[in-house]
């Protein structure tokens, strides 16, 4: 029997969805039956990944899409499962990651009028007024499947939205009766729902921008997520090297320029100081950035000419947003960079005329490298600093390693001291909800099983990640990874936020402001109990390197996850 559920699975498979990250419930008998029927007859459908926690399911789908570039699907249970997706919905929306979320719905008949009619008490309780409204503010598209006769077209339309710039999550729901409906197979072609093609700059704007870049004395590119498209990184590197343009990352979500490139000038986060590069630049080109600077503490100089080119220049999900850019374009940054390079070739642009700019920025790049290496020095008291820990991990990072950064107050430390040298080597959630890295590591390993995945997280993020679910899944689906916990015994971010507003207030003099978990849980033991992970607590610099080596041996040779609970100075210090 060919049902709406069968058609839905066929549509996902035809669209290139490899995995269903599922948390099934009483609303899914049609899907469960269709999956079993497909296995019985050898018909191809996406592989099922059972996820005991919905937020982990969506984080895993996000991690897969971030590595593969292809949307994956998450299946959850009615409005309860939708709400349990929790902050992962925020992350996929803010990171502009394509994911299809499907939720069942309580049956709409109660006397056996149709197959799938209500037969459990919970189906009255879970019948709510506006289930789609729970996530509508975060979705690029939401709809309800009302008949199986057009379920393929509806699914492909949703994925067309998800995978068109600016990309993002989409949400479909369908009641039991609809998903049980027997329907004819529809002859339709997924190619008819192709994502929107990349947008370019108007020809006149290309010439105007290139002229501005040529005339500037101190041109600067500011970017955050250009590197989500790996090809754009190479295009940026070619242009800035040729023209001698500095690159500053602001709250980077990906590797936007290899850190060993002499035009790379570092990253900025929440530092309460004016960035000297922004202060010096007479031309600022903002490429794919949500927060290019924080104007209360750091901004470009008043006479700087500012261009803004972005896949989402209006920041449509941000009610309050502006930068003083006089030239603003919605465009695909890789395409724009290629346009600039092609025009430079056409006019025979002499790269030699930019030698002074290259020399200036190369000297700044080298001075920054020296400062960072000093910070990595082994502490004399045998304690472990975040910089020393990250440098020790960096020694084990090769071209086949992916680093997932959820360091929170140590975000910049991980970026600076891993110092990735190739596109796609480091990612973060792209959002503000904690707990992404564990599920994302599973999704990343499923997308590229040959890569070594290292997740570097704060201890608060580790607890948010649902580690018992994560490490059960890592063992169940053979996706081992190294999880390094920066354990400072609590949430340091709220303390820093409070001190920034009340530097001399009562909280600044208090030893307890409600953000510590001290003594902490045994983080690595949680993973060992849930998924047989290698577990180690590391409290001294002497013990660090042997623990890293043992953890990576467990991941690479034994095929099991490893968790290193690394103790840093207490959050109330410094």
């Amino acid at each position: 029997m060919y049902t709406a559920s069968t058609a839905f699975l066929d549509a996902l498979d035809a669209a290139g969805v490899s995995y269903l990250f599922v948390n099934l419930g009483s609303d899914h008998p049609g899907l469960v039956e269709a999956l079993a029927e497909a296995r019985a007859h050898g018909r191809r459908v996406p592989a099922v990944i059972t996820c005991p926690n919905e937020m982990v399911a969506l984080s895993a789908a996000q991690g897969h899409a971030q590595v593969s570039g292809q949307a994956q699907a998450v299946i959850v249970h009615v409005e309860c499962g939708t709400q349990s997706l929790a902050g992962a919905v925020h992350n996929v929306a803010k990171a502009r990651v394509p994911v299809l979320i499907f939720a069942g719905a309580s049956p709409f008949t109660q006397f056996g009028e149709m197959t799938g009619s209500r037969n459990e008490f919970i189906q009255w309780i879970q019948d709510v007024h506006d289930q789609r409204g729970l996530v509508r503010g975060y979705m690029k598209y939401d709809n309800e499947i009302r008949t199986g006769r057009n379920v393929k077209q509806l699914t492909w339309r949703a994925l067309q939205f998800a995978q068109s710039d600016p990309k993002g999550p989409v949400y479909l729901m369908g009641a039991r009766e609809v998903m049980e409906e027997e329907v004819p197979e529809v002859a339709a072609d997924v190619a008819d729902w192709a994502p929107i093609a990349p947008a370019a700059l108007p020809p006149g704007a290309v010439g105007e921008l290139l002229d501005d870049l040529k005339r500037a004395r101190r041109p600067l590119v500011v970017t955050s997520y250009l590197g989500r498209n790996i090809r754009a990184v190479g295009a940026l590197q070619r242009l800035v090297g040729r023209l001698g343009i500095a690159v500053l990352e602001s709250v980077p979500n990906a590797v936007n320029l290899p850190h060993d490139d002499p035009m790379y000038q570092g990253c900025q986060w929440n530092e309460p100081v004016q960035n000297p590069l922004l202060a010096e630049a007479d031309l600022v080109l903002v490429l794919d950035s949500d927060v290019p600077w924080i104007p209360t503490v750091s901004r470009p100089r008043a006479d700087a000419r500012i261009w803004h080119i972005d896949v989402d220049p209006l920041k449509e999900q941000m009610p309050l947003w502006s930068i003083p850019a006089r030239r603003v374009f919605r465009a695909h940054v890789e395409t724009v960079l290629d346009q600039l390079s092609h025009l430079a070739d056409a006019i025979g642009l002499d790269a030699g005329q930019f030698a002074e700019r290259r020399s200036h920025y190369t000297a700044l790049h080298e001075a920054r490298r020296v400062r960072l290496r000093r910070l990595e020095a082994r502490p004399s008291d045998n304690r472990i600093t975040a910089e020393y820990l990250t440098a020790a991990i960096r020694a084990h990072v090769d071209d086949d390693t992916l680093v997932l950064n959820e360091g929170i107050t140590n975000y910049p430390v991980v970026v600076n001291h891993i110092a990735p040298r190739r596109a796609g080597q480091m990612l973060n959630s792209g959002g503000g909800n904690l707990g992404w890295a564990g599920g994302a590591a599973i999704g990343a390993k499923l997308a590229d099983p040959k890569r070594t995945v290292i997740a570097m997280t704060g201890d608060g993020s580790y607890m948010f990640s649902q580690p018992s679910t994560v490490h059960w899944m890592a063992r169940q689906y053979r996706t081992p990874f190294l999880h390094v916990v920066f354990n400072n015994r609590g949430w340091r971010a709220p303390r820093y936020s409070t001190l920034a507003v009340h530097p001399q207030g009562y909280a600044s003099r208090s030893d307890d402001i409600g953000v510590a978990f001290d003594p902490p849980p045994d983080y690595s033991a949680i993973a060992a109990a849930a998924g047989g992970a290698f577990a180690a607590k590391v409290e001294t610099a002497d013990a660090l390197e042997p623990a890293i080596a043992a953890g990576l041996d467990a991941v690479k040779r034994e095929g099991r996850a490893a968790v290193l609970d690394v103790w840093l100075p207490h959050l109330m210090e410094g």
Side-chain angles (χ1 to χ4, degrees):
M1 187 169 69
Y2 196 86
T3 66
S5 292
T6 310
F8 178 58
L9 295 172
D10 284 351
L12 293 174
D13 178 67
V17 172
S18 303
Y19 292 99
L20 307 176
F21 297 92
V22 308
N23 191 292
L24 298 169
S26 60
D27 46 332
H28 297 132
L31 280 170
V32 172
E33 179 65 15
L35 286 164
E37 186 272 337
R39 285 193 292 267
H41 291 93
R43 193 177 70 252
R44 196 177 73 175
V45 291
V48 172
I49 304 295
T50 300
C51 305
N53 178 275
E54 292 89 346
M55 197 185 93
V56 177
L58 185 49
S59 297
Q62 178 178 352
H64 190 293
Q66 286 176 291
V67 170
S68 68
Q70 175 63 48
Q72 301 303 305
V74 175
I75 297 176
V76 296
H77 177 48
V78 294
E79 108 286 5
C80 294
T82 300
Q83 293 186 87
S84 291
L85 291 167
V89 171
H90 161 97
N91 286 342
V92 290
K94 299 304 180 183
R96 302 174 184 84
V97 173
V99 177
L100 185 145
I101 302 165
F102 174 81
S106 284
F108 51 76
T109 60
Q110 61 181 348
F111 296 115
E113 299 95 329
M114 301 175 71
T115 303
S117 188
R118 294 184 184 185
N119 61 353
E120 300 177 34
F121 80 91
I122 201 71
Q123 292 155 353
W124 279 266
I125 297 171
Q126 293 172 339
D127 190 7
V128 298
H129 290 294
D130 187 10
Q131 181 174 311
R132 288 155 57 192
L134 293 170
V135 293
R136 184 173 295 123
Y138 296 88
M139 297 296 124
K140 285 200 66 185
Y141 173 88
D142 69 274
N143 208 339
E144 181 176 358
I145 299 171
R146 295 180 174 88
T147 174
R149 293 174 181 270
N150 66 351
V151 69
K152 285 187 176 180
Q153 297 95 317
L154 210 61
T155 301
W156 292 337
R157 175 166 168 76
L159 286 167
Q160 183 181 36
F161 272 92
Q163 299 190 122
S164 293
D165 285 330
K167 298 178 174 68
V170 294
Y171 183 86
L172 294 175
M173 59 177 279
R176 290 209 317 186
E177 295 93 332
V178 172
M179 301 310 292
E180 294 280 358
E181 180 187 3
E182 187 173 0
V183 297
E185 276 198 68
V186 174
D189 189 345
V190 66
D192 293 340
W193 284 265
I196 304 304
L201 281 186
V206 180
E208 183 184 353
L209 175 54
L210 187 60
D211 285 343
D212 276 359
L213 290 170
K214 288 160 53 182
R215 284 194 297 264
R217 181 171 179 270
R218 292 289 177 253
L220 175 67
V221 166
V222 178
T223 185
S224 301
Y225 54 84
L226 171 152
R228 294 175 188 171
N229 174 5
I230 289 176
R231 294 185 303 275
V233 177
L236 178 66
Q237 190 168 19
R238 289 188 293 273
L239 184 74
V240 300
R242 183 178 190 177
L243 271 64
I245 303 170
V247 176
L248 174 67
E249 293 182 305
S250 181
V251 195
N253 303 156
V255 179
N256 299 296
L257 191 72
H259 285 216
D260 56 355
D261 188 289
M263 294 302 101
Y264 182 77
Q265 301 299 315
C267 61
Q268 61 180 25
W269 296 75
N270 290 332
E271 299 87 345
V273 295
Q274 171 67 50
N275 185 285
L277 287 158
L278 274 176
E280 181 184 45
D282 53 346
L283 175 71
V284 180
L285 174 56
V286 179
L287 300 175
D288 278 353
S289 179
D290 285 337
V291 187
W293 50 80
I294 298 175
T296 53
V297 294
S298 181
R299 63 176 68 187
R301 70 192 216 192
D303 64 343
R305 184 163 171 79
I306 300 173
W307 286 67
H308 181 205
I309 301 170
D310 203 307
V311 71
D312 178 21
L314 288 176
K315 308 303 173 190
E316 295 172 7
Q317 289 195 331
M318 300 182 191
L320 178 64
W321 194 92
S322 68
I323 61 172
R326 300 299 172 88
R327 305 292 281 144
V328 181
F329 296 89
R330 184 190 297 274
H332 184 252
V333 167
E334 179 198 354
T335 300
V336 170
L337 293 168
D338 286 342
Q339 287 180 285
L340 290 166
S341 291
H342 291 154
L343 181 58
D345 290 341
I347 64 177
L349 188 66
D350 179 14
Q353 72 186 88
F354 308 111
E356 187 278 333
R357 294 193 326 204
R358 279 194 296 273
S359 176
H360 174 75
Y361 288 129
T362 298
L364 292 178
H365 172 87
E366 179 60 21
R368 173 181 176 274
R369 188 191 67 80
V370 171
R371 289 195 302 273
L372 291 178
R373 292 301 173 266
R374 290 196 191 109
L375 292 172
E376 296 172 0
R378 180 189 174 98
S380 59
D381 58 4
N382 206 26
R383 295 205 298 176
I384 303 170
T385 64
E387 293 83 1
Y388 181 70
L389 166 59
T390 307
I393 294 292
R394 184 185 68 231
H396 295 268
V397 172
D398 59 22
D399 287 346
D400 292 322
T401 301
L402 171 65
V403 176
L404 304 181
N405 180 3
E406 199 171 21
I408 314 306
T409 54
N410 285 308
Y411 269 138
V413 171
V414 175
V415 171
N416 288 333
H417 297 279
I418 290 293
R421 294 176 297 175
R422 66 172 184 80
Q425 197 167 34
M426 179 183 289
L427 295 167
N428 69 28
S429 73
N433 184 76
L434 308 189
W436 159 84
I442 292 168
K445 281 290 287 184
L446 289 170
D448 191 349
K450 294 181 181 178
R451 295 181 82 166
T452 300
V453 176
I454 301 176
M456 305 182 73
T457 73
D459 47 347
S461 297
Y462 181 81
M463 286 203 284
F464 276 123
S465 74
Q466 305 293 329
S468 59
T469 288
V470 164
H471 286 283
W472 176 84
M473 290 174 62
R475 177 166 60 181
Q476 180 75 4
Y477 297 106
R478 298 179 178 84
T479 55
F481 67 99
L482 175 64
H483 204 148
V484 181
V485 181
F486 287 60
N487 186 351
N488 57 18
R489 272 79 78 207
W491 294 312
R492 190 167 61 171
R495 178 170 183 257
Y496 280 4
S497 297
T498 301
L499 292 176
V501 178
H502 302 286
Q504 305 301 324
Y506 289 100
S508 70
R509 301 186 294 275
S510 175
D511 293 330
D512 182 3
I513 58 172
V515 296
F517 353 114
D518 199 10
D522 191 337
Y523 297 121
S524 58
I526 294 170
F534 171 88
K537 182 185 291 185
V538 187
E539 299 182 76
T540 65
D542 288 343
L544 181 59
E545 179 54 38
I548 295 171
L552 284 170
D553 182 68
V555 170
K556 295 180 178 181
R557 187 177 62 82
E558 300 176 31
R560 61 183 178 131
V563 175
L564 305 184
D565 176 6
V566 183
W567 283 46
L568 305 181
H570 196 278
L571 70 101
M572 298 303 287
E573 296 182 40

